[in-house]
Amino acid sequence: MTALPRSRSIPADADTVFQIAADLANTAWLPPGVETELSGPRLLRLWFRDRDVEMPIMIDWKRLCVQWGSDSGADYSGRLRVLRLGDNTSVVSVDLHVPRGVRRTRVDAWIDEALTALASEVRAELAPDSTEVT
């Protein structure tokens, strides 16, 4: 397995960022072609390209951490953690473990795209509703 750590600062409260990141019913921030669903208690099914993978998932609201897969497996596994830096600043840290032979540049781009999209989802969530009448 190869570890690919990444992090990105997001100008928002850590609880808000984690609420969006941990919402498995709305994974719009994942790159195109990646779909997820809960397939049982603590089981996540992930579809991407021509793969269909089921893996354990754990969401820890106290530590603001989502962990998927298993360290002993030969497939994808990882952890997403949201860290508090201040009242309205947080850092999303992703540690993705990929099987040997997977092109690192492709996975690096995938993680960067996902973190950019997550930041966009957070901005959209925090934006004032432009349809409100004052």
Side-chain angles (χ1 to χ4, degrees):
M1 300 279 281
T2 302
L4 301 171
R6 283 279 184 280
S7 62
R8 165 122 353 129
S9 177
I10 297 180
D13 177 74
D15 292 321
T16 301
V17 175
F18 188 72
Q19 184 174 4
I20 292 168
D23 182 1
L24 299 177
N26 180 18
T27 55
W29 59 274
L30 291 176
V34 176
E35 296 179 38
T36 64
E37 75 174 10
L38 287 175
S39 62
R42 298 182 186 205
L43 285 176
L44 178 71
R45 177 157 281 171
L46 178 72
W47 291 273
F48 58 99
R49 287 191 262 147
D50 59 346
R51 301 205 52 195
D52 177 0
V53 178
E54 189 172 80
M55 60 186 69
I57 186 163
M58 190 251 337
I59 299 174
D60 184 339
W61 289 90
K62 282 186 178 181
R63 292 181 47 228
L64 302 179
C65 182
V66 177
Q67 194 163 345
W68 61 94
S70 118
D71 293 337
S72 62
D75 219 329
Y76 293 86
S77 65
R79 179 182 74 167
L80 178 146
R81 188 150 186 218
V82 180
L83 307 168
R84 300 177 202 281
L85 289 185
D87 288 342
N88 288 311
T89 306
S90 57
V91 169
V92 177
S93 171
V94 175
D95 292 309
L96 183 62
H97 300 269
V98 300
R100 295 202 188 287
V102 173
R103 287 188 11 218
R104 183 181 180 122
T105 55
R106 175 175 282 175
V107 177
D108 284 342
W110 184 85
I111 296 170
D112 287 341
E113 186 177 341
L115 289 174
T116 298
L118 178 58
S120 294
E121 288 285 317
V122 170
R123 274 193 304 276
E125 177 74 20
L126 296 176
D129 186 0
S130 59
T131 62
E132 284 185 23
V133 176
T134 57

